[in-house]
Amino acid sequence: MENIALRVEELLSKMTVREKIGQLNQPETPTEKTIEEFKALVRKGEVGSILMSVGATAGNDAQGAISNEFYNEIQRIAVEESPNGIPILFGRDVIHGHHTVFPIPLGMAASFNDELVKKSYSDIASEASAESVHWTFTPMLDLARDPRWGRIIEGTGEDPYVGARVAESVVKGLQGENLSDKGNMIACAKHYIGYGASEGGRDYHRTEITDYSLFNYYLPAFRSAVKAGVKTVMSSFNDISGQPITSSSYYLTDILRGKLGFDGFVVSDYDAVIQLKKQGVARDNADCAKMALNAGLDMDMHDFCYLDNLEKLIESGEVSEETLNESVRRILTVKMEKGLFENPYCYGGEYDKIVHLKDAEDLATESIVLLKNENNLLPLSKSANISLVGPYATEKRSLLGSWCIDGKTDGMDNLLDIMRKTCEGKLYYSCGYGLGWDSSAKNSYLSDVVVMALGESWSCTGEARAVSDISLPPEQIALIKKIKSTGKKIVGILFCGRPIAMQEISDDLDAIIYAWHPGSCGAQAVCNVLFGDVSPSGKLPVTLPKLATHIPLYYNVTSSGRPVNCYYNENPANCYVDSVPTPCYPFGFGLSYTEFKYGETKIDNDKISLDEVLNGKKIKVSVSLENIGDFDAKETVQIYLRTPVAKWMRPLRELKGYQKVSLNKGEKTEIIFEIGAEELGYYSPQGEFIVEKGIREIYVGENCLIENKKEITIC
Ligand code: BGC
């Protein structure tokens, strides 16, 4: 490390101001037309990094811009012909898979399987780094409570603790033990900060987040990414209460570096520097560049605002050369840590595609949440006569999800393909919506059970893809009603990117499998669960509301003076007069084919002194778990805490730990959680971590609504 610091200083001392600014410049991959101009920039040392994409389309289109030959040639120019031979960092949006596509991140979060998430990101890193990608703009850690926001699919849902655990797995999976080893990639925690709170779920909109909420809800995932060693952070497009993050030294420097201890570099979001004008805080481009760099934003994505303006600003003293040096230092340090100076070129790489597909299938299988299983309709027998209906039976692209710029549907199976291979009885298939008196109804009469493949298109999710109504499309609801009228039992498979409103469909469906947008092997994963080869084990990382009008609805809400919160049935009468906003399926919820018996929650001590807590003593909370059903299965045991009296109002429940365990039928185990200061405290609005004396309620079980309370006192 020290060595790197010395090398950085030595290099920095040889660079002109213009070359230094070049390190801060991240243009995107040139088109044929602009390629010579681009090479000239590289030759002058004016390109620090390349966003590997052409006309970045916010993850909504497949992207070319992958060619080892091209990037090696650009790198050769940088290394051999630019003044100081500094290699270029190539960055791409490899969000939930490269060629092998894993479930959307919200689905991954539902797996509650940290190891598998980590392994998957290590697979992703090896695939992408074999194609010149050094750096990926993931994980996306934006806490989101509004499912209308299209980008909710890219994050981990409504819970800061889940966000923190996933952040650690993704960063460690991508960056590996040693970042410079072949097959590892630099991670980027984004979008810092508060982007998921965009008003009305409308992308890029303003946000209002108090510092109390910021420290306790929005920052924990970033804090965890920093702790896991994330090398880069992307600042977000939004403002918080009138302060654009792009130009905020409070958020980018005081909090990110000061409070969280981040020491890598910050990249802007796409064109965000120049957008400071549109946000109404900068007069011209020079103003934009000055404000962003002075705030602590090191690298400028796409808009050339730094390259075009910083030299003059340094000459005039509006930006100090030391501020510029500091940003260059951070970028060069990460390049050295990545080993770019020793290994600037990509010669491809080998990976086992079969293993990656298997991991993608396993993760998709574990992400599936079984929401309903009336009279144990599932699993289906492979010899049953089944009617398969609905628009997603033959769909492939939506299974891949948004932000999948390198995944292909060629060679991929859809649900019908896999069911054809799996079913031993008769399989009747009716395509599309089948809304007339047609084969879908006729086939339903002929079969023992109807499987309906439903959901939302990938194109309604992702960046700039907010929706105003989170219900299933009316045609699908009509189709459910029509099939229901045949009197047959219905299994609904929901391929959704976001939480959807469930009330209208949950009564009509006898069994419900929430499959998300599950990736390359998603259809196989669904059949693994549908036919009982694997017992479902996913749990909801977000609440599924009854009605779209009930949002925002999230489990970690605070109480109020006159109880209005219906999540825990506090007082439904005080809520809306026309409906009761209890969740249709709460946070942490997910059924299994087996039955798990939880023992009584035990604590090794119901009193602990504050001094002991602050000195690292922990309370042991344990519970026995027995698989008393007929399936080998996995269960995610969750522990929630509540502080009934504190200086600042605390949530009615907060997830503070989870363990996913695998138990064969008849097997029993003991789950132990250790609760210490980290779990017992919270942040003041000033960002101080405080642990207060008083009572803590502890709940251990299968979702956030469990009631088997134990109490401890911190005295
Ligand atoms: C998105 C980022 C993405 C960047 C580069 C932006 O529009 O907000 O998440 O990494 O584009 O494609």
Side-chain angles (χ1 to χ4, degrees):
M1 196 61 201
E2 207 177 301
N3 189 17
I4 288 187
L6 290 176
R7 283 169 61 201
V8 166
E9 287 314 315
E10 199 187 322
L11 189 51
L12 195 63
S13 66
K14 294 189 214 149
M15 295 167 75
T16 63
V17 166
R18 187 77 187 158
E19 285 153 21
K20 289 178 190 173
I21 296 168
Q23 286 305 303
L24 277 48
N25 184 31
Q26 187 193 49
E28 64 182 15
T29 307
T31 58
E32 293 261 324
K33 262 193 180 156
T34 52
I35 195 154
E36 287 313 316
E37 216 176 294
F38 192 87
K39 285 182 178 170
L41 276 186
V42 173
R43 231 167 246 123
K44 287 191 274 176
E46 293 183 359
V47 176
S49 169
I50 295 178
L51 168 62
M52 302 167 82
S53 114
V54 180
T57 52
N60 292 315
D61 283 310
Q63 277 285 341
I66 279 281
S67 150
N68 284 348
E69 206 189 335
F70 169 77
Y71 292 102
N72 277 342
E73 171 56 8
I74 293 291
Q75 194 70 301
R76 190 199 61 72
I77 298 174
V79 169
E80 293 179 8
E81 299 178 20
S82 79
N84 285 292
I86 302 173
I88 295 175
L89 194 56
F90 303 132
R92 186 171 180 83
D93 290 294
V94 185
I95 305 300
H96 55 107
H98 188 54
H99 295 304
T100 308
V101 183
F102 292 74
I104 51 165
L106 189 59
M108 291 192 196
S111 76
F112 282 79
N113 187 331
D114 298 355
E115 269 314 300
L116 199 47
V117 170
K118 183 173 161 201
K119 171 80 177 27
S120 302
Y121 274 96
S122 147
D123 295 348
I124 292 171
S126 65
E127 283 192 17
S129 61
E131 293 193 322
S132 297
V133 188
H134 305 129
W135 177 25
T136 174
F137 307 115
T138 204
M140 194 277 229
L141 302 175
D142 297 311
L143 184 117
R145 293 168 171 172
D146 192 330
R148 291 174 296 184
W149 191 49
R151 303 197 81 170
I152 194 170
I153 72 135
E154 290 173 60
T156 65
E158 70 195 35
D159 185 55
Y161 181 80
V162 172
R165 290 273 291 255
V166 174
E168 180 182 350
S169 304
V170 178
V171 170
K172 290 190 170 161
L174 288 170
Q175 296 191 169
E177 292 278 301
N178 186 0
L179 185 58
S180 60
D181 286 352
K182 206 171 149 197
N184 292 339
M185 268 198 311
I186 301 165
C188 180
K190 73 183 188 188
H191 307 82
Y192 178 87
I193 183 88
Y195 182 38
S198 299
E199 207 171 80
R202 298 203 282 280
D203 212 358
Y204 316 126
H205 209 359
R206 65 190 300 276
T207 72
E208 289 286 352
I209 302 173
T210 62
D211 277 358
Y212 180 57
S213 294
L214 187 84
F215 282 108
N216 288 293
Y217 292 109
Y218 293 90
L219 283 176
F222 286 91
R223 195 179 286 119
S224 161
V226 169
K227 202 166 152 214
V230 74
K231 297 288 170 197
T232 71
V233 163
M234 184 186 290
S235 56
S236 54
F237 286 125
N238 59 292
D239 67 284
I240 297 184
S241 311
Q243 211 179 136
I245 304 301
T246 310
S247 60
S248 167
S249 59
Y250 176 64
Y251 294 108
L252 292 181
T253 299
D254 301 356
I255 294 184
L256 181 62
R257 297 193 184 276
K259 296 263 189 216
L260 267 53
F262 174 65
D263 63 1
F265 74 82
V266 177
V267 62
S268 76
D269 205 339
Y270 193 90
D271 281 352
V273 175
I274 216 154
Q275 284 170 13
L276 286 171
K277 281 187 301 184
K278 291 221 170 104
Q279 285 176 300
V281 293
R283 269 179 304 272
D284 52 25
N285 293 0
D287 237 7
C288 295
K290 177 175 77 180
M291 291 173 87
L293 191 70
N294 281 339
L297 198 156
D298 305 302
M299 187 179 275
D300 175 16
M301 183 186 280
H302 187 254
D303 58 26
F304 283 83
C305 197
Y306 279 5
L307 193 71
D308 293 344
N309 295 284
L310 281 179
E311 223 174 344
K312 276 207 181 114
L313 290 165
I314 287 180
E315 270 168 31
S316 70
E318 286 171 85
V319 171
S320 79
E321 192 167 348
E322 189 39 36
T323 303
L324 172 67
N325 286 348
E326 198 46 39
S327 290
V328 179
R329 261 184 210 112
R330 291 173 185 146
I331 293 166
L332 292 178
T333 302
V334 173
K335 287 188 175 184
M336 286 187 190
E337 287 170 341
K338 176 72 187 90
L340 270 193
F341 286 79
E342 293 75 19
N343 290 305
Y345 300 109
C346 180
Y347 295 102
E350 307 228 317
Y351 54 85
D352 193 336
K353 179 87 182 161
I354 307 283
V355 171
H356 292 188
L357 286 170
K358 180 73 182 105
D359 289 340
E361 180 187 327
D362 288 350
L363 189 54
T365 306
E366 291 212 16
S367 73
I368 287 173
V369 186
L370 178 65
L371 296 176
K372 184 175 176 188
N373 195 13
E374 204 92 323
N375 299 320
N376 293 330
L377 176 61
L378 296 177
L380 298 181
S381 156
K382 288 181 186 160
S383 57
N385 298 324
I386 299 172
S387 166
L388 176 63
V389 179
Y392 287 81
T394 50
E395 175 61 21
K396 291 185 183 175
R397 179 61 191 88
S398 281
L399 267 52
L400 295 181
S402 182
W403 275 112
C404 152
I405 62 179
D406 295 289
K408 303 230 164 18
T409 51
D410 312 342
M412 183 183 153
D413 287 316
N414 59 32
L415 189 59
L416 177 63
D417 297 329
I418 303 285
M419 283 184 69
R420 280 195 171 129
K421 290 185 207 161
T422 315
C423 292
E424 292 155 11
K426 286 212 166 70
L427 178 66
Y428 305 99
Y429 163 64
S430 321
C431 65
Y433 287 101
L435 276 180
W437 183 249
D438 58 15
S439 56
S440 71
K442 192 175 123 220
N443 288 343
S444 305
Y445 280 116
L446 294 174
S447 62
D448 305 323
V449 61
V450 183
V451 172
M452 298 193 70
L454 307 163
E456 59 174 344
S457 164
W458 71 277
S459 62
C460 305
T461 71
E463 186 173 348
R465 293 286 189 268
V467 294
S468 59
D469 186 358
I470 56 164
S471 312
L472 273 191
E475 303 79 20
Q476 293 189 40
I477 295 177
L479 184 60
I480 297 174
K481 305 265 180 232
K482 186 175 88 170
I483 303 296
K484 182 75 183 168
S485 72
T486 66
K488 291 290 171 177
K489 297 279 178 226
I490 312 176
V491 180
I493 297 171
L494 296 175
F495 292 106
C496 294
R498 55 161 65 76
I500 60 162
M502 294 297 293
Q503 182 164 281
E504 193 158 11
I505 56 174
S506 66
D507 284 347
D508 289 341
L509 302 172
D510 299 278
I512 307 176
I513 286 175
Y514 214 80
W516 313 102
H517 289 156
S520 305
C521 304
Q524 182 62 57
V526 166
C527 287
N528 292 344
V529 168
L530 190 62
F531 295 103
D533 292 322
V534 182
S535 176
S537 65
K539 300 273 187 175
L540 292 175
V542 277
T543 300
L544 298 188
K546 288 180 175 159
L547 300 176
T549 49
H550 288 172
I551 54 177
L553 189 68
Y554 49 93
Y555 90 98
N556 42 7
V557 67
T558 50
S559 192
S560 48
R562 295 189 178 183
V564 294
N565 189 300
C566 289
Y567 210 105
Y568 302 92
N569 266 314
E570 264 189 304
N571 185 357
N574 279 347
C575 291
Y576 304 117
V577 290
D578 57 350
S579 68
V580 180
T582 48
C584 202
Y585 298 102
F587 177 87
F589 180 83
L591 301 171
S592 169
Y593 291 154
T594 202
E595 194 182 333
F596 287 108
K597 185 174 163 210
Y598 279 83
E600 201 198 325
T601 304
K602 295 188 186 133
I603 38 181
D604 68 347
N605 209 336
D606 61 3
K607 275 207 175 63
I608 187 166
S609 76
L610 183 57
D611 278 350
E612 287 174 317
V613 173
L614 297 177
N615 287 324
K617 189 164 175 200
K618 299 191 172 192
I619 288 180
K620 263 194 193 151
V621 181
S622 60
V623 70
S624 67
L625 181 73
E626 190 176 359
N627 181 345
I628 57 168
D630 296 329
F631 289 82
D632 298 342
K634 291 185 179 175
E635 167 71 337
T636 299
V637 181
Q638 303 155 43
I639 180 165
Y640 294 87
L641 255 65
R642 180 183 175 213
T643 308
V645 181
K647 187 166 173 207
W648 294 88
M649 284 161 56
R650 303 297 305 140
L652 289 164
R653 299 276 191 289
E654 281 183 287
L655 184 69
K656 288 294 178 184
Y658 60 78
Q659 291 180 36
K660 189 162 193 174
V661 284
S662 181
L663 285 185
N664 291 339
K665 45 189 172 184
E667 233 186 307
K668 188 174 179 179
T669 191
E670 176 100 345
I671 311 287
I672 301 174
F673 291 101
E674 298 211 320
I675 300 297
E678 205 178 319
E679 291 75 25
L680 294 165
Y682 66 100
Y683 287 88
S684 73
Q686 290 70 39
E688 255 100 48
F689 188 72
I690 43 179
V691 185
E692 289 178 283
K693 288 185 179 173
I695 289 172
R696 300 295 184 280
E697 296 170 0
I698 297 178
Y699 305 81
V700 181
E702 63 270 28
N703 63 59
C704 74
L705 295 188
I706 34 156
E707 278 302 343
N708 60 343
K709 182 169 77 176
K710 278 273 177 287
E711 277 186 9
I712 58 165
T713 306
I714 304 177
C715 46

